[in-house]
Amino acid sequence: MTDTIVCIKQVAEVEDADIVLNDDKTGVLKDDLVMGINEWDSYALEEAIRIKESSGGKVVALSLGDEDCQDILRRALAMGADEVVHIDKNGFEGSDAVGVARGLASVIGKRHFDLLLTGVQGSDDGWGQVGIILAEILDLPFASLVVRLENHEDHLTVYRELESNTQQIVELPLPGVVTIQTGINIPRYVSIMGIRRTRNLPIAGTGAGQLGLMNSEIGTEGSCVESRQLFIPSDEANAEMLEGTLSEVCEKALSIIREKGGTD
Amino acid sequence: MIPQRELFWNIQGVWIFYLLVSVSILIFAAGMLARVLSWARGGRGLKYSFSLNCLSDLLLDVFLGRRIFRNDPGAGTSHLLVLWGFLGLFAGTSMLMVDHYLYHCLTGLSYLLFSFLMELFGLMLISGLCWGLVRRFIFKIGRLEKRWADLVVPLWLLVAALSGFLLEGSRMAAQEPAWGGWSSAGLLTSYLWGGHDAALSSYRIIWWAHALVSLGLIAALPFTKLFHMLASPTALYMSALPEEAFLPEQTVKAGQALSKRALVFLDACTRCGRCTEVCPSAASGEDFSPRRFLLSARKREAVNYGTLPAAFLFGKRDVPAESGESIYNRIWNCTTCGACADACPAGISTIEVINCIRSEAIEDGTDVPQLLAKTLESLTKHDNPWGAHRKKRFEWSQGLSVPSISGANPPDGLCYFAGCTTSFDTRAQMIARSFVSILDQAGVNFFCIGKDEPCCGDIARRVGEEGLFQFQMENCVELFERWDIRDLVTSSPHCFNSFKNDYPLYMSRDDSQKAGSFRVRHYTQLLKELLEQGKIRFERSIPSRVTFHDPCYLGRYNNLFDAPREIISAIPGVEMVEMEHYGADSLCCGGGGGRMWQEDMTCKVTISERRIAEADAAGAQMVITACPLCLITLEDAVKTAGLEQTLRVLDLNELILLAMGKREK
C-alpha cells in the first residue's frame, strides 16, 4: 500500500501557436492558447496511477490555479485518482516557487501519504524548484530528475538522469518526494467518455485564506523574485541555402559541419 | 405390391432409437440455446427492422449461395451441393416420420419419386463433400486452412451419407423390391451382398451405425463449424441493419466491449479466408489478417466469458497467448477499407469487431499507440488531428477571397466544408483551392465556414473514440443550426460519409427531425451536376492516359463509382484506363481508419506502393483521386517508388481546372 500525492499544473500549450505578450510584458496572452496539463506532470500522474495499480493505496491529485485547472483535475480522476483538491489561485499571483510550495504544502502537510510526486519543472515558468522546496518545507528526503522508479513499500529505488547519458541509482526512504522526468512511462490516453464520467465527482476546493497563509508568505509580497520583462527574441536570418547537385550540397554541408567542429 | 417402405423394418428395440433421438435433440437444443443466448451479452444492440428486401436477399444468398459463388464458382458449387443435399435429406427423413405417424402418403408413385429424390440428395451431398475435400486437401487452395475440424466434419457428413447408401443397398439386397430401378445407386450397392441372409444381418448393423452417426451429427452441430448454418445467415441478415448508437454516459462493463452483432459475426466465421485474400494490410505483408484477428477475438471471448459450448471447446484454463492485451496489437492495422466485409459470404464486418475492441482499448487508455493518442489529444484541443493551431485553419484560402461566415446573418448558398486534412496539409490544400476556383468560374453561390470550421469527427469514430466523435458531431450540428446550413459539400469522402451515414445514427436517437436537416454531397457529385448543366466546360485537351483511384469511403462505403469516371471521360484527349482493382473491388491507399496518424507498420511493401504499382502496370500517366488522404499517401508512394517522372497524382479538382484551361485564381 503506497498512498501517493501528485501535484499537477495547468499550462498553456504553445506548440504551433503564435505567442503574443500582454501589454505590460509580464505574461503571455492566453486568449488563443489551449490549456492542458504540464507535460512533466502528466508523467508524474501516470506514475502515481501505476504505483496504485501495482501496490494499492490511494492517489490524491492537487493543483494550484484558476477555475480552469479543474479540467486537469477531472483528467486525473478519469485516469484513476481517488481524490482531487483544487487550491484557488487567488492571493498567489506573483508568487515565486517558495510561495507556490507553501500553498501546496499547507494542504499536503495535513494528509497522510507515503510518496509525493511532482514533475521536474513547469513548461511555462521553467523554475524546476517547487518539488524540491516542498521536500524542504515538509522536511522529507527527495530525489529529482527521476526516470525510473521501483517501489519497495518502505523505500524506493529511483534512477536519476544525469548529464551525458549517465544515471544514478538512489535508495530513497519513504515518506519522500520525487520529481519525475519525462519519458519515465507512457502516459495513458484519457478518453472523452472517461472525462465525461467524472462530471459528477466532487473536486475539493480550498484557498489561501482557508489554509491560513499570510500575504507576506505568498503572492508578490512574499516573493523574493520579481519578473522584470518578458520578451520574444528577434528572428535571426542565419539560414544559408545550399545549392548545386546532390553531391555538391552534401560536400558543402559536410564541410560546414567540420568547420563548426561537428565531426570531432 | 405397392411401392412403399416400412419404417423400422426388421429393427428391434425401437425405443432405444427414440431414446438416442431424445438425447441428441436435447444436446442440440441446449447447445444452440447457449450459443444464441451468448450473443445477448453484447453491449451495443441493433435497430431491428423487418424489410422484405433484406429477407429476399438473405434467402437468395443462403439458398442459392450467391455470395459464395462470387469470385469462386468452385466453392459455390461445392457448397450448393452440400447445402441442398443436406437440406433434402433432412426434409426427407422428416417426411418419413410424417408418413409413419401422421399421414401415410409415401406410397406408390410418390414413394418412388421420394426414393429417387433421396438418392439424388445423397449423391449431391457426397459429390459436394468430395469436391470440397479435394479442393482443400489435394488442390490445396491457398486461402483454405487445413485444421482437424476441416477434415473431421466433412468426413463425418460423408460417413453419414455413405452409410445411408449402404443401408439402402443392404435393405434392397434383402428385400429385392421390384421397383429397385428407381433407386439405382442403392441397387448398385445391393450387389455387394451375395445373399438374402447376409444382407439382412449387415442391414441391422448398418441401420444402427447410420442412426448413431446421424444423431451424433445433430448433437454435435452447435459445437462444430456446422453451427455456421444458423450463425452465418443471422450475421448476413444483421449486417444489413443499422447499428444502435453508443450512449455517451454508457459504461462498458467487462464482457460488453463487443456489440451483439459483433458476437454473432465471431460465431458466423467459417474461416474461409476470403477476407484475408482481399485485405490490403495482409497483402502488404503486415502482421495482420482479418481471419486471424476474428479467430483470436473469438478465442478471447470464449476464454474470458465462455458460455457452455465455448468452455467445452476451449476449456477455461487454456488461456491462449493471443488473449488479453495482446489482441490490442492487432487492431490498429485495419484501414477500415471494407473489402473484407464485401468479400465475406456471411456478411461479417471485421471492421465492426475491430472498432469495438478499439473502443475498449481507447477507454482503457494504457495501450493506445503514442502517435494516435497525440492525434486524438490534438483533435480535442485544437479541433483537428494535425496538431495545427485552429487559427490557421482558413489559411488555405489566402489570396483567393473565399467568402466565409462572418457577421450576424446566416449566409445563403452552398456551404463548402473543406475538412481538416484539406485545410492544413499543404499538398491537400490544392484540393480546396482548385475546388473554389471551379465553383467561382461555374458561378456557384457558395461560402466556407472559415476558421471556426470544426472537425467532423470521422477519425475519432474510426479509431473507437466514441466520446470524442459525439463531441465533434455536437459541435458540427450546433454550428449548422446556428447558421442555418442546410446544403453541404465536402472535399473529403470521410467527412461526407460521417455526415451522411454516421450522424443520422446518433441524431435520430433523441431528435428525429435533426437527422434530415441538412443535405450533404461529395464534391464529385456536385461537379458532375455542374458538368451536365454546362457550367463546367473543358477548353483544353489533356492527351494523357488517366486512371481513377476509388477512395474507399466514396466508393465502397457510398457506392459512388461513376461520377468521377464520367467527369474524367468527358475531358478531351484523356484516355481512361482502369487498374487491376477498381470500383467495388478497389484497393485501399492505406490512409483510412486512423492509419494516416500512426507510425508506419512493418511490411514488405507499403499499401500505397502496391496501389501505385497497379497504376504503373495499367500504363497510367496520371492517377486521379478524390480524397485528401488518398492524395497524400499515393503521392508519397510515387516518390518512394521513384516514379515521379512518369506518374503524377492529382486530385480530380486539379485535373478539371487544368482541362478548363484555367489556373487557380
Side-chain angles (χ1 to χ4, degrees):
Chain A
M1 292 274 283
T2 308
D3 287 340
T4 310
I5 296 181
V6 54
C7 300
I8 57 179
K9 180 183 188 180
Q10 198 186 40
V11 296
E13 305 238 330
V14 292
E15 201 183 337
D16 197 48
D18 302 319
I19 300 289
V20 184
L21 300 178
N22 59 13
D23 291 340
D24 55 0
K25 309 276 187 239
T26 56
V28 171
L29 279 184
K30 290 184 180 161
D31 307 356
D32 279 332
L33 295 180
V34 181
M35 306 300 285
I37 187 169
N38 174 38
E39 195 188 353
W40 282 266
D41 299 348
S42 69
Y43 289 90
L45 185 55
E46 174 67 28
E47 200 61 25
I49 303 294
R50 287 188 186 194
I51 290 168
K52 173 187 161 178
E53 283 171 351
S54 61
S55 324
K58 271 181 69 176
V59 172
V60 178
L62 187 62
S63 186
L64 192 160
D66 55 21
E67 199 68 17
D68 277 356
C69 80
Q70 297 205 350
D71 289 350
I72 60 169
L73 291 173
R74 295 226 173 271
R75 186 189 170 86
L77 285 170
M79 280 173 76
D82 300 279
E83 197 186 332
V84 293
V85 183
H86 171 216
I87 306 172
D88 191 68
K89 201 177 179 184
N90 227 327
F92 285 97
E93 294 91 346
S95 289
D96 59 8
V98 180
V100 174
R102 278 183 184 137
L104 296 169
S106 53
V107 172
I108 297 164
K110 291 181 196 132
R111 289 172 170 266
H112 166 266
F113 65 93
D114 303 299
L115 177 60
L116 175 60
L117 298 180
T118 72
V120 164
Q121 59 184 338
S123 65
D124 48 359
D125 293 325
W127 290 333
Q129 299 170 22
V130 173
I132 294 160
I133 296 173
L134 265 173
E136 242 355 272
I137 297 176
L138 297 163
D139 198 21
L140 291 174
F142 76 89
S144 59
L145 291 158
V146 168
V147 288
R148 187 172 153 192
L149 184 153
E150 288 157 12
N151 183 14
H152 312 288
E153 308 274 319
D154 59 332
H155 74 282
L156 300 178
T157 305
V158 298
Y159 292 67
R160 301 185 58 235
E161 184 182 61
L162 304 178
E163 285 293 296
S164 301
N165 204 21
T166 49
Q167 291 191 5
Q168 180 186 36
I169 300 175
V170 176
E171 302 279 319
L172 187 76
L174 291 179
V177 181
V178 170
T179 73
I180 301 289
Q181 178 65 299
T182 55
I184 186 173
N185 51 42
I186 299 168
R188 68 195 63 195
Y189 177 73
V190 187
S191 77
I192 299 297
M193 278 213 255
I195 291 175
R196 279 193 182 186
R197 273 184 221 115
T198 68
R199 210 158 30 188
N200 298 321
L201 297 179
I203 294 181
T206 185
Q210 271 172 283
L211 295 169
L213 292 165
M214 305 300 218
N215 276 350
S216 56
E217 294 173 290
I218 58 170
T220 321
E221 206 181 313
S223 172
C224 59
V225 184
E226 187 194 332
S227 170
R228 286 254 198 91
Q229 195 203 352
L230 217 56
F231 71 99
I232 296 166
S234 56
D235 291 339
E236 287 180 39
N238 271 347
E240 183 189 345
M241 298 304 287
L242 302 180
E243 279 169 18
T245 64
L246 185 66
S247 57
E248 284 166 11
V249 169
C250 291
E251 276 303 314
K252 280 183 205 165
L254 193 62
S255 71
I256 293 171
I257 293 168
R258 282 216 183 94
E259 208 175 287
K260 309 266 182 194
T263 52
D264 290 350
Chain B
M1 200 176 172
I2 302 165
Q4 57 183 326
R5 182 172 131 200
E6 189 191 335
L7 199 64
F8 304 124
W9 176 71
N10 247 307
I11 295 299
Q12 278 88 44
V14 171
W15 65 273
I16 301 178
F17 173 73
Y18 277 109
L19 186 72
L20 290 172
V21 169
S22 315
V23 170
S24 106
I25 289 181
L26 213 65
I27 298 174
F28 169 81
M32 284 298 215
L33 197 69
R35 288 196 84 161
V36 170
L37 286 180
S38 78
W39 296 339
R41 192 187 71 243
R44 200 184 327 198
L46 286 168
K47 290 176 185 163
Y48 292 98
S49 59
F50 177 77
S51 117
L52 210 59
N53 273 344
C54 283
L55 190 70
S56 67
D57 271 351
L58 177 75
L59 293 178
L60 290 172
D61 282 334
V62 170
F63 292 112
L64 296 184
R66 284 192 307 195
R67 294 176 72 96
I68 307 172
F69 269 102
R70 206 164 57 193
N71 294 329
D72 193 346
T77 313
S78 158
H79 187 266
L80 201 70
L81 287 171
V82 173
L83 173 78
W84 280 102
F86 186 91
L87 286 178
L89 290 172
F90 183 76
T93 314
S94 311
M95 271 293 278
L96 280 178
M97 288 289 147
V98 171
D99 179 66
H100 186 72
Y101 288 106
L102 296 174
Y103 176 65
H104 185 51
C105 54
L106 294 178
T107 167
L109 188 64
S110 68
Y111 172 72
L112 293 177
L113 200 65
F114 169 81
S115 65
F116 172 74
L117 282 175
M118 287 294 268
E119 280 221 323
L120 185 68
F121 289 134
L123 290 173
M124 279 167 71
L125 182 61
I126 290 171
S127 56
L129 286 167
C130 290
W131 178 228
L133 284 166
V134 165
R135 278 167 50 84
R136 190 184 294 268
F137 293 101
I138 297 176
F139 292 170
K140 295 190 167 58
I141 289 174
R143 64 176 169 84
L144 299 175
E145 292 185 326
K146 289 171 206 63
R147 302 190 183 207
W148 276 109
D150 302 323
L151 186 64
V152 171
V153 172
L155 282 183
W156 194 338
L157 277 164
L158 204 56
V159 168
L162 288 173
S163 63
F165 277 106
L166 286 177
L167 182 62
E168 190 189 26
S170 60
R171 181 170 50 79
M172 286 172 77
Q175 288 180 333
E176 291 177 35
W179 52 83
W182 285 82
S183 313
S184 32
L187 195 65
L188 215 62
T189 330
S190 70
Y191 297 132
L192 287 172
W193 285 273
H196 172 274
D197 291 346
L200 192 61
S201 64
S202 317
Y203 167 78
R204 291 204 183 96
I205 298 167
I206 297 170
W207 193 93
W208 281 105
H210 180 66
L212 278 176
V213 167
S214 306
L215 292 175
L217 196 67
I218 292 172
L221 199 138
F223 310 97
T224 59
K225 60 195 274 185
L226 290 175
F227 183 64
H228 84 275
M229 282 186 225
L230 179 71
S232 300
T234 311
L236 201 51
Y237 185 73
M238 282 182 158
S239 65
L241 298 176
E243 60 183 310
E244 207 169 64
F246 215 76
L247 301 172
E249 266 81 33
Q250 200 173 347
T251 315
V252 181
K253 295 192 204 85
Q256 284 201 334
L258 295 190
S259 65
K260 291 186 174 57
R261 177 162 60 182
L263 289 173
V264 178
F265 286 159
L266 293 186
D267 277 347
C269 176
T270 58
R271 300 187 277 106
C272 75
R274 289 169 193 245
C275 50
T276 299
E277 268 188 336
V278 297
C279 174
S281 168
S284 289
E286 291 176 3
D287 185 22
F288 176 80
S289 110
R291 170 169 61 190
R292 198 150 50 93
F293 170 78
L294 281 178
L295 293 178
S296 54
R298 172 151 88 189
K299 207 162 182 180
R300 189 179 83 129
E301 288 298 309
V303 169
N304 293 346
Y305 316 105
T307 48
L308 182 89
F312 169 82
L313 277 181
F314 300 110
K316 281 230 170 198
R317 282 165 299 128
D318 168 36
V319 180
E322 288 170 7
S323 77
E325 319 84 80
S326 71
I327 201 168
Y328 290 166
N329 299 335
R330 304 247 159 112
I331 53 181
W332 305 109
N333 291 71
C334 175
T335 69
T336 69
C337 74
C340 54
D342 270 7
C344 179
I348 297 170
S349 162
T350 314
I351 302 171
E352 183 165 326
V353 184
I354 283 188
N355 207 260
C356 290
I357 300 182
R358 282 183 176 183
S359 270
E360 182 191 307
I362 289 278
E363 296 309 321
D364 172 72
T366 49
D367 217 354
V368 180
Q370 269 180 287
L371 188 56
L372 186 64
K374 205 171 166 231
T375 302
L376 293 172
E377 272 158 20
S378 158
L379 183 51
T380 312
K381 287 174 183 157
H382 304 293
D383 218 349
N384 71 78
W386 291 99
H389 196 278
R390 64 176 79 213
K391 270 172 84 180
K392 299 178 180 169
R393 184 178 275 273
F394 204 40
E395 282 180 4
W396 63 263
S397 68
Q398 263 171 9
L400 288 181
S401 70
V402 179
S404 69
I405 288 181
S406 58
N409 294 327
D412 55 271
L414 176 71
C415 174
Y416 169 40
F417 190 93
C420 299
T421 303
T422 309
S423 297
F424 291 109
D425 181 87
T426 42
R427 175 67 186 95
Q429 283 174 351
M430 295 311 292
I431 301 175
R433 292 177 70 87
S434 312
F435 183 57
V436 296
S437 301
I438 295 170
L439 290 184
D440 251 346
Q441 279 152 32
V444 177
N445 183 21
F446 76 99
F447 65 93
C448 288
I449 297 172
K451 71 174 170 52
D452 292 329
E453 186 188 279
C455 168
C456 68
D458 168 75
I459 167 169
R461 185 152 203 266
R462 300 302 146 202
V463 302
E465 216 323 2
E466 278 286 332
L468 185 53
F469 166 71
Q470 289 180 39
F471 182 76
Q472 294 303 130
M473 185 190 81
E474 284 157 19
N475 279 347
C476 284
V477 172
E478 197 257 337
L479 185 124
F480 296 161
E481 278 175 4
R482 180 161 19 114
W483 296 101
D484 199 28
I485 293 171
R486 290 172 175 279
D487 195 10
L488 281 160
V489 61
T490 72
S491 354
S492 172
H494 295 262
C495 307
F496 167 68
N497 180 67
S498 264
F499 292 148
K500 186 165 174 274
N501 300 323
D502 294 341
Y503 280 29
L505 285 180
Y506 290 79
M507 288 193 295
S508 55
R509 195 179 64 232
D510 40 45
D511 189 345
S512 51
Q513 293 106 40
K514 273 188 193 172
S517 66
F518 61 85
R519 169 172 82 147
V520 58
R521 282 174 294 173
H522 183 252
Y523 78 75
T524 46
Q525 294 171 290
L526 177 71
L527 292 176
K528 194 191 151 210
E529 281 171 34
L530 293 176
L531 186 70
E532 284 168 353
Q533 291 162 4
K535 289 179 179 167
I536 291 177
R537 266 190 292 272
F538 299 126
E539 277 156 22
R540 235 186 87 190
S541 165
I542 299 187
S544 193
R545 217 170 303 121
V546 175
T547 190
F548 181 70
H549 163 78
D550 292 274
C552 302
Y553 280 72
L554 192 66
R556 216 177 270 119
Y557 274 68
N558 288 292
N559 285 317
L560 293 170
F561 302 108
D562 300 333
R565 289 185 167 79
E566 284 166 25
I567 298 170
I568 295 170
S569 306
I571 296 173
V574 159
E575 183 198 340
M576 179 84 188
V577 291
E578 293 289 4
M579 291 182 261
E580 186 189 338
H581 295 92
Y582 69 96
D585 192 29
S586 182
L587 191 64
C588 177
C589 76
R595 284 286 299 262
M596 192 61 151
W597 296 276
Q598 285 187 59
E599 304 287 352
D600 291 340
M601 313 268 176
T602 316
C603 60
K604 287 198 209 91
V605 49
T606 66
I607 297 176
S608 52
E609 281 165 9
R610 279 191 71 223
R611 189 55 171 160
I612 282 303
E614 281 196 358
D616 193 41
Q621 295 160 298
M622 278 189 193
V623 181
I624 304 301
T625 184
C627 166
L629 299 183
C630 297
L631 181 68
I632 298 170
T633 45
L634 292 179
E635 197 168 84
D636 273 356
V638 165
K639 286 175 192 158
T640 51
L643 293 169
E644 287 151 292
Q645 303 304 318
T646 53
L647 197 57
R648 279 178 81 192
V649 181
L650 287 180
D651 181 75
L652 182 59
N653 283 300
E654 296 177 291
L655 180 72
I656 291 176
L657 206 60
L658 272 176
M660 287 168 82
K662 306 270 165 61
R663 302 208 144 263
E664 150 226 313
K665 263 199 307 181

